[in-house]
Amino acid sequence: MKAEMDVRAYNREAWDREVGRGNRWTVPVSPEVIAAARRGDWSVVLTPTKPVPRAWFGDLNGRDVLGLASAGGQQCPVLAAAGAHVTVFDNSPAQLRQDREVAEREGLELKLVEGDMKDLSAFADGSFDLIFHPCSNCFVDDVRPVWREAYRVLRPGGVLLSGLCNPVRYLFDPAQEEQGVMRLKYPMPYSDFTSLSDEERRRYTDKGEPLCVGHSLEDQLGGQLDAGFVLTHLFEDRYEEKDLLSTFLSTFMATRAVKGAPRS
């Protein structure tokens, strides 16, 4: 599972399974949520709990929006009901079906595209006004191509909204964390695919769960800057369910970045 293509293939199948299990990030929004969005009453999240400030979006009416690795029938249908022209791009066919379900149920127009978030060659340069990218790049082995491709497909002045995982989440022994103990175990760079022993990895693969990669802040924030983005806003967030590490610090963040001139 160390080969690059295996990362994508494994997590595609794993997220298809998560749909069948009813993972919280795979459950489509209700008709009531869509009706409220059509009235202008809506919110979406990039991170576990905090709604993204509406000011980060600007006027969505008639804007071309890419939901990048954002399928599951949750955020993208809401943005479409709020007036945007939305394309949903995701690695999981089952997750994309959740968006199709909501679109057919609610009479929404959503374009659905399956693919690797590191390769947006399905789209021409300057195709979108806004990209909505929740905490999902932890499921690819290299995040910098994601930022470069996002920059390419945005129009000048376009906005990238991203949810990010602080890599500190991956440094501790999960077995001891379940017992209420925080013990540093894994150094950076971290990947479930390469940092774990076969026995440790089976903790997830035996259940068919997705595997993660802990990207450095240099790659997540610096990578956006190196691609040419200008960071304008940032907030931090924590898990809403019981999470020992979240009792000590916020381990997620959301960023708003604008397409500027690429750095040399």
Side-chain angles (χ1 to χ4, degrees):
M1 282 186 292
K2 294 183 180 181
E4 180 178 344
M5 290 305 297
D6 286 344
V7 176
R8 180 188 172 195
Y10 177 87
N11 278 330
R12 179 175 58 244
E13 295 175 3
W15 274 104
D16 283 353
R17 286 188 289 267
E18 291 301 299
V19 173
R21 293 169 175 161
N23 179 298
R24 60 176 287 198
W25 300 114
T26 72
V27 179
V29 293
S30 68
E32 291 76 16
V33 169
I34 298 300
R38 283 178 163 141
R39 297 192 302 268
D41 179 15
W42 59 271
S43 67
V44 288
V45 295
L46 288 163
T47 54
T49 65
K50 286 187 182 179
V52 182
R54 289 280 293 271
W56 283 26
F57 293 90
D59 183 8
L60 282 179
N61 192 43
R63 307 290 275 178
D64 293 316
V65 174
L66 174 64
L68 180 56
S70 184
Q74 299 185 353
Q75 301 100 350
C76 290
V78 169
L79 299 178
H85 302 304
V86 181
T87 298
V88 191
F89 186 89
D90 202 272
N91 189 38
S92 164
Q95 280 282 72
L96 288 166
R97 285 197 296 271
Q98 302 299 78
D99 287 276
R100 181 180 295 111
E101 174 187 310
V102 179
E104 292 175 350
R105 187 189 73 202
E106 303 294 339
L108 296 170
E109 290 189 13
L110 289 176
K111 182 179 180 181
L112 308 178
V113 182
E114 180 186 339
D116 181 350
M117 70 181 86
K118 298 187 299 180
D119 178 8
L120 302 183
S121 57
F123 310 115
D125 296 357
S127 294
F128 301 99
D129 300 299
L130 183 142
I131 294 175
F132 188 86
H133 177 50
C135 287
S136 54
N137 61 52
C138 57
F139 302 113
V140 295
D141 59 330
D142 185 0
V143 70
R144 283 183 176 262
V146 178
W147 306 135
R148 292 193 292 268
E149 280 289 84
Y151 185 93
R152 181 184 64 78
V153 302
L154 277 172
R155 295 172 181 138
V159 174
L160 169 67
L161 305 182
S162 303
L164 310 174
C165 297
N166 190 317
V168 72
R169 292 200 59 82
Y170 303 103
L171 305 184
F172 297 90
D173 184 345
Q176 291 210 341
E177 193 172 348
E178 289 176 355
Q179 302 170 17
V181 176
M182 302 296 298
R183 184 172 73 86
L184 286 167
K185 183 173 183 179
Y186 304 108
M188 288 292 294
Y190 175 84
S191 168
D192 285 342
F193 291 88
T194 58
S195 300
L196 303 179
S197 67
D198 290 343
E199 181 179 357
E200 289 172 321
R201 193 178 302 107
R202 283 197 296 270
R203 175 187 182 94
Y204 309 106
T205 57
D206 282 356
K207 295 181 286 186
E209 295 179 349
L211 296 178
C212 296
V213 177
H215 302 297
S216 69
L217 294 181
E218 181 175 345
D219 285 341
Q220 296 191 81
L221 299 177
Q224 292 187 45
L225 297 173
D226 289 344
F229 287 104
V230 177
L231 289 172
T232 64
H233 297 80
L234 182 151
F235 67 76
E236 292 183 301
D237 196 10
R238 306 182 183 213
Y239 261 138
E240 62 181 0
E241 61 261 26
K242 184 178 179 181
D243 177 65
L244 182 59
L245 188 55
S246 289
T247 64
F248 294 94
L249 80 163
S250 297
T251 56
F252 298 90
M253 68 185 73
T255 58
R256 180 184 186 273
V258 177
K259 179 173 179 174
R263 294 172 62 180
S264 58

